[in-house]
């Protein structure tokens, strides 16, 4: 796990993918902070994270598109899967590397939060809560996109799939409101990834959204491990 | 060291390999020989635990690969057909990554990396990006990767592909040296290489073993006739008819003559049970044609290979 984590971090530092992700992320934060907070004289971090949320469906797939697809394509997976390491630790190592890049980038936006905390009248609790919830959401996004990367050996397909999944989960939330059947409404709300996010960012730290995002992450990591493991154990392929 | 029993691998309805069984002793070099698609890579992918067999058993040093993959994989170093390299990494960081992956203890890691880099002679490129390496260096780095954890078993899929003749020679002698401490299975479609390096050879055809033996025995036993080359001073037509009359000569093949020097060259095939060289010598001496050269034309592994695969071809056509 450690070996994979280190290698992926190293590759993020040597290839454009990590920089594209962090660059776009920080650029957007800067733009939003300038217009929404500085020009608009608003003192909450929610606007920035909310807008980021919208673009995250595009930038998260960039972060993860290479992770599993590229290994298969360049047949470096032969090295990984003939080494004495389990599929689980390979996937977790890769996941943690992507998560690390995301969290480091997110931490860099802390400078905006510091300004808001000093000059605004929001409580530190609200800011920390907003950050925490966005981190949880990002963790789930990475797991979903990693799953997309496990399904194909083409990076572009992997990115498009990741985008499709995230877009799907996002759009379900809007659809659920226009569902005529109350039951379907509830089901769709349950899997709409953003419905809990709104709940989260109201400034109230509750256990249920936390558990919700954590389970989302774990389910998709589990699915990724299953996809890779099944393919390796297929006796006729 | 390695034992394989009844190994079968199907790809859907296509047959990959069928009922392969063999054993490899410690310190032995086994060669897998076969044309493209004969099943060499499939066997290697199964032996390294990259893919599971449809049926059959694999034991590495007595450990069942399918039941205890983690333990068995520790004993194997694998160089796949395409070396598994990350073009973004530098040679040295790649080797560090592989040693971490293969659980090489950190305290001996650098020492191990240096040793392996010296062994495959890539010390001069250790700071370069893998992307910028030539094919020969990439191949050798692939070999370094397989060696890094000092595994008991080395499985090398076409280890000399893409190397220049000097490097091929180096890698071959390296492989022979390695066999003192490692058990090696290598595949190749270069017959000369296999007969030079390997202690035993498996010849594969359509996923089945058609022959398994030492290269020398394979060449000897498969042919009950032998061939030799003669160079005689004299008119070729006359000599040809005289040779044909000798008892035991099965065929005579006239070679290209050198009209200036007056030499005639022939390749004579005779059955192993009859001595034709003695009557040939006296006959030519009697006729006054001097024999300047006689040398055996030994059946090369290439002949064996062609014969074996051709035979099965005929059988298939007959069916």
């Amino acid at each position: 796990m450690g070996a994979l984590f280190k290698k992926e971090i190293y590759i993020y530092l040597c290839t454009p993918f990590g920089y594209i992700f962090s660059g776009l992320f920080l650029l957007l934060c800067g733009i939003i902070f300038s217009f929404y907070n500085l020009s608009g004289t608003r003192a909450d971090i929610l606007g920035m994270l909310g807008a980021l949320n919208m673009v995250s469906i595009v930038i998260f797939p960039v972060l993860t598109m290479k992770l599993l697809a590229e290994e298969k394509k360049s047949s470096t997976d032969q090295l990984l899967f003939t080494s004495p390491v389990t599929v689980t630790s390979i996937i977790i190592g890769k996941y943690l590397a992507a998560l690390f890049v995301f969290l480091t980038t997110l931490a860099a936006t802390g400078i905006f939060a510091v300004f808001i905390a000093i000059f605004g009248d929001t409580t530190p609790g609200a800011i920390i809560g907003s950050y925490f919830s966005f981190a949880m959401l990002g963790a789930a996004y990475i797991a979903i996109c990693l799953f997309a990367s496990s399904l194909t050996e083409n990076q572009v397909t992997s990115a498009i799939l990741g985008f499709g999944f995230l877009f799907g989960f996002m759009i379900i939330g809007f659809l659920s409101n226009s569902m005529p059947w109350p039951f379907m409404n509830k089901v769709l709300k349950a899997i709409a990834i953003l419905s809990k996010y709104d709940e989260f960012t109201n400034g109230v730290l509750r256990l249920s959204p936390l558990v919700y995002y954590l389970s989302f992450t774990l389910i998709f990591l589990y699915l990724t491990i299953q996809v890779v493991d099944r393919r390796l154990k297929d006796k006729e392929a | 060291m390695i034992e394989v029993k009844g190994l079968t691998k199907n790809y859907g309805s296509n047959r990959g390999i069928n009922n392969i069984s063999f054993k490899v002793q410690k310190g032995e070099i086994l060669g897998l020989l076969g044309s493209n698609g004969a099943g060499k890579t499939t066997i290697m992918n199964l032996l390294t635990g990259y893919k599971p067999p449809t049926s059959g058993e694999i034991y590495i040093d007595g450990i069942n690969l399918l039941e205890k993959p983690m333990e068995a994989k520790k004993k194997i170093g694998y160089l796949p057909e395409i070396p598994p390299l990350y073009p973004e990494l530098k040679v040295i960081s790649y080797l560090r990554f592989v040693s971490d992956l293969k659980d090489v203890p950190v305290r001996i890691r650098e020492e191990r990396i240096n040793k392996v880099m010296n062994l495959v002679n890539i010390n001069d490129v250790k700071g370069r990006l893998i992307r910028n390496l030539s094919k020969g260096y990439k191949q050798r780095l692939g070999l370094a990767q397989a060696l890094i954890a000092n595994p008991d078993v080395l499985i090398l899929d076409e280890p000399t592909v893409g190397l220049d003749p000097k490097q091929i020679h180096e890698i071959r002698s390296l492989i022979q040296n390695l066999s003192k401490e490692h058990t090696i299975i290598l595949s190749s479609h270069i017959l000369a290489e296999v007969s030079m390096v390997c202690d035993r050879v498996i010849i594969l055809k359509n996923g089945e073993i058609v022959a398994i033996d030492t290269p020398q025995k394979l060449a000897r036993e498969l042919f009950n006739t032998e061939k030799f080359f003669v160079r005689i001073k004299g008119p070729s037509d006359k000599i040809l008819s005289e040779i044909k009359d000798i008892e035991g000569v099965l065929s005579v093949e006239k070679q290209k003559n050198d009209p200036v020097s007056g030499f005639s060259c022939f390749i004579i095939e005779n059955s192993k049970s009859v001595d034709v060289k003695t009557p040939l010598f006296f006959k030519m001496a009697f006729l006054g044609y001097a024999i300047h050269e006689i040398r055996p034309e030994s059946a090369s592994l290439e002949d064996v290979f062609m014969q074996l695969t051709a035979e099965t071809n005929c059988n298939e056509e007959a069916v």
Side-chain angles (χ1 to χ4, degrees):
Chain A
M1 194 191 293
L4 259 304
F5 177 77
K6 267 195 269 175
K7 186 211 89 181
E8 293 302 340
I9 294 289
Y10 197 93
I11 287 185
Y12 274 129
L13 293 174
C14 307
T15 57
F17 298 93
Y19 295 109
I20 292 175
F21 174 81
S22 303
L24 277 177
F25 198 99
L26 293 176
L27 178 72
L28 277 160
C29 281
I31 292 172
I32 296 162
F33 182 74
S34 311
F35 286 99
Y36 181 85
N37 294 107
L38 296 183
S39 307
T41 61
R42 269 171 288 224
D44 64 274
I45 199 88
L46 277 181
M48 185 164 82
L49 295 179
L52 269 180
N53 199 352
M54 287 298 153
V55 293
S56 54
I57 63 167
V58 182
I59 57 173
F60 276 95
V62 175
L63 185 65
T64 56
M65 61 197 257
K66 206 169 145 58
L67 284 178
L68 289 166
E70 184 66 14
E71 299 270 5
K72 227 182 312 163
K73 193 178 176 203
S74 60
S75 68
T76 41
D77 62 333
Q78 290 198 322
L79 169 63
L80 301 185
F81 299 131
T82 57
S83 295
V85 276
T86 58
V87 172
T88 308
S89 63
I90 290 170
I91 305 286
I92 302 283
K94 282 174 172 286
Y95 173 76
L96 289 179
L99 188 66
F100 181 79
V101 172
F102 163 60
L103 291 180
T104 327
T105 314
L106 188 64
T109 67
I111 185 84
F112 302 129
V114 170
F115 277 114
I116 289 170
I118 294 171
F119 299 107
D121 53 2
T122 34
T123 58
I127 292 177
I128 292 169
S130 304
Y131 262 97
F132 187 69
S133 52
F134 191 74
M136 292 298 291
L137 183 72
Y141 279 172
I142 293 172
I144 294 169
C145 293
L146 185 64
F147 173 68
S149 186
S150 75
L151 297 176
T152 166
E153 49 183 88
N154 184 310
Q155 292 184 36
V156 179
T157 316
S158 150
I160 292 171
L161 266 179
F163 169 75
F165 284 148
L166 295 186
F167 187 69
F169 278 118
M170 202 173 252
I171 212 86
I172 280 173
F174 302 125
L175 282 178
S176 68
N177 292 330
S178 51
M179 271 286 154
W181 313 286
F183 171 72
M184 280 307 284
N185 189 321
K186 269 192 179 166
V187 171
L188 289 183
K189 268 240 164 67
I191 53 171
I193 201 161
L194 285 178
S195 60
K196 294 279 173 191
Y197 180 71
D198 301 334
E199 213 176 289
F200 222 153
T201 49
N202 288 340
V204 192
L205 197 60
R206 290 194 306 168
L207 194 62
S208 81
L210 187 76
V211 174
Y212 178 78
Y213 285 118
L214 207 58
S215 17
F216 231 98
T217 307
L218 292 178
I219 286 169
F220 273 94
L221 282 179
Y222 175 77
L223 287 177
T224 311
I225 292 165
Q226 285 302 309
V227 166
V228 175
D229 206 44
R230 284 285 162 82
R231 194 167 42 226
L232 285 174
K233 290 199 176 134
D234 188 348
K235 291 191 172 182
E236 310 229 316
Chain B
M1 196 69 193
I2 304 168
E3 192 178 355
V4 170
K5 286 184 200 162
L7 210 56
T8 298
K9 175 80 178 172
N10 297 327
Y11 295 105
S13 57
N14 295 331
R15 199 177 67 188
I17 55 166
N18 187 31
N19 201 14
I20 302 270
S21 301
F22 61 85
K23 277 185 190 178
V24 190
Q25 302 301 326
K26 196 170 170 25
E28 197 177 17
I29 307 180
L30 177 79
L32 296 181
L33 196 60
S35 43
N36 290 331
K40 298 179 301 247
T41 301
T42 302
I43 291 180
M44 299 200 145
N45 279 340
L46 298 183
L47 283 177
T48 50
Y50 178 58
K51 286 180 175 169
T54 307
S55 63
E57 289 170 48
I58 301 165
Y59 295 91
I60 309 286
D61 201 11
I63 302 167
N64 189 325
L65 176 73
L66 301 170
E67 283 169 11
K68 294 177 181 168
M70 288 303 135
E71 279 177 52
K73 282 176 184 174
K74 277 188 186 162
K75 296 189 174 287
I76 303 173
Y78 182 29
L79 168 64
E81 209 169 355
I82 305 159
L85 309 174
Y86 297 95
E88 308 83 346
L89 296 184
K90 284 180 183 162
V91 169
I92 184 88
S93 21
Y94 172 72
L95 288 175
R96 282 192 189 125
F97 162 64
V98 180
S99 13
D100 285 351
L101 195 66
K102 308 240 176 200
D103 285 336
V104 177
V106 179
R107 65 194 156 76
I108 60 161
R109 192 179 72 177
E110 294 303 312
E111 180 194 332
R112 199 54 222 154
I113 290 174
N114 281 328
K115 194 177 167 193
V116 167
M117 282 199 302
N118 282 329
L119 214 54
V120 300
N121 204 2
I122 52 170
N123 237 325
D124 48 334
V125 293
K126 71 177 178 186
R128 299 248 305 262
L129 279 181
I130 293 175
R131 183 199 313 279
N132 300 332
L133 296 184
S134 70
K135 193 154 188 235
Y137 272 117
K138 282 183 182 163
Q139 190 70 21
R140 284 186 277 166
L141 181 56
L143 192 59
Q145 160 276 122
L147 283 167
I148 199 109
N150 201 15
D152 294 338
V153 176
L154 277 176
I155 296 184
L156 313 172
D157 202 348
E158 306 198 348
T160 55
V161 162
L163 303 181
D164 65 36
K166 185 169 166 279
Q167 294 166 340
I168 289 179
H169 181 77
E170 281 169 13
I171 292 292
R172 277 182 196 158
S173 41
L174 172 65
I175 290 173
Q176 274 169 330
N177 272 328
L178 287 171
S179 74
K180 287 171 196 153
E181 289 172 34
H182 308 264
T183 307
I184 302 172
I185 296 184
L186 65 89
S187 77
S188 180
H189 56 255
I190 305 167
L191 303 137
E193 174 169 295
V194 170
S195 57
M196 226 181 284
V197 175
C198 300
D199 301 317
R200 275 195 308 151
V201 179
I202 289 180
I203 296 182
L204 292 163
K205 167 79 182 170
N206 289 341
E208 293 189 24
I209 295 181
V210 283
I212 175 166
D213 216 322
T214 63
Q216 295 79 13
K217 267 195 186 167
L218 277 177
R220 209 182 311 145
E221 282 174 12
L222 267 147
F223 295 92
N224 42 25
T225 63
E226 58 185 358
K227 284 182 179 175
F228 63 92
F229 170 91
V230 286
R231 195 153 63 102
I232 302 168
K233 193 155 194 166
S236 59
D237 295 338
K238 171 90 166 95
I239 295 173
L240 182 67
S241 64
E242 289 294 338
I243 293 175
K244 275 184 179 160
D245 288 343
I246 297 171
E247 200 191 317
V249 172
L250 297 172
S251 72
V252 188
E253 213 179 295
K254 206 164 94 179
Q255 299 295 102
K256 220 160 116 190
N257 284 337
D258 181 356
V260 182
S261 62
F263 283 113
S264 309
C265 303
F266 305 94
I267 287 179
I268 300 172
E269 187 181 6
N270 64 292
S271 63
K272 275 182 182 169
S273 49
V274 188
D275 172 25
V276 299
K277 286 183 190 116
T278 314
L280 176 74
F281 172 78
F282 285 115
K283 198 165 195 179
M284 289 302 130
F286 177 74
L287 293 168
Y289 303 138
I291 297 178
H292 280 245
E293 188 180 355
I294 291 190
R295 62 179 148 85
E297 285 269 308
S298 65
S300 67
L301 207 54
E302 192 144 359
D303 297 325
V304 181
F305 180 68
M306 293 304 274
Q307 180 165 334
L308 282 170
T309 48
E311 262 173 19
T312 32
N313 267 337
C314 296
N315 291 344
E316 271 161 23
E317 276 159 26
V319 174

